Amino acid sequence: MTRSQVKWRLTLAWWQYLAVGLLPLLVMAWAFGGGAALMPVLALPLFLGGAATMFLSLPRFGAYKRALIATSKALGSADEPAAWIELARVRRMAMFFACFPAWVVALSVLVGLEAVAQILLALSTLVLLYLYRIPRQLG
């Protein structure tokens, strides 16, 4: 597989994780957004929990940056395929953790979390996922 094909697959995986992260929120808002809140007292704790899940992504971001640097050093050598595989593995785990805030906010639709708070947590997922895009300088 060529370098451009690997980068294309990693870009496609990024778009898939964006959909996996934000689609549950859209579905829950469409299905349950107009209904009455089940337990409004849980709205603030769920918002705070969703905001706290952003910090779960911090160690994964460090691992991703180390894998990115290792991949850039391995370009053109015999270790390049293994470096791409390791980068994809580390990135996949990091993007999984980056989706947590949007998944928490999808659950918070049931308890009546305000739209502004939902948008903030969804944007935090979007920003976290944006950090895991493959830079143009790589390859």
Side-chain angles (χ1 to χ4, degrees):
M1 189 179 309
T2 66
R3 192 176 299 160
S4 62
Q5 289 172 331
V6 170
K7 286 178 72 173
W8 171 250
R9 285 191 182 204
L10 290 175
T11 301
L12 184 64
W14 185 87
W15 283 103
Q16 289 171 341
Y17 266 92
L18 181 65
V20 164
L22 296 180
L23 198 59
L25 171 60
L26 297 174
V27 169
M28 291 292 282
W30 174 75
F32 302 107
L38 297 177
M39 294 185 71
V41 72
L42 292 178
L44 183 62
L46 271 176
F47 175 74
L48 294 175
T53 60
M54 289 187 296
F55 296 106
L56 295 175
S57 184
L58 284 175
R60 278 85 186 161
F61 183 71
Y64 168 71
K65 292 307 269 186
R66 286 189 296 277
L68 199 60
I69 292 168
T71 303
S72 68
K73 288 180 181 178
L75 291 178
S77 71
D79 296 334
E80 183 177 353
W84 281 111
I85 290 170
E86 178 65 14
L87 176 66
R89 185 191 65 77
V90 169
R91 183 175 176 250
R92 187 174 30 248
M93 184 58 69
M95 287 192 301
F96 176 75
F97 277 89
C99 290
F100 282 179
W103 292 341
V104 170
V105 78
L107 292 175
S108 71
V109 169
L110 297 173
V111 297
L113 186 65
E114 295 295 324
V116 173
Q118 291 176 358
I119 290 170
L120 285 174
L121 286 176
L123 282 176
S124 70
T125 292
L126 183 63
V127 168
L128 287 173
L129 284 174
Y130 187 75
L131 292 174
Y132 297 115
R133 294 193 53 134
I134 300 297
R136 279 185 253 171
Q137 295 85 2
L138 190 65

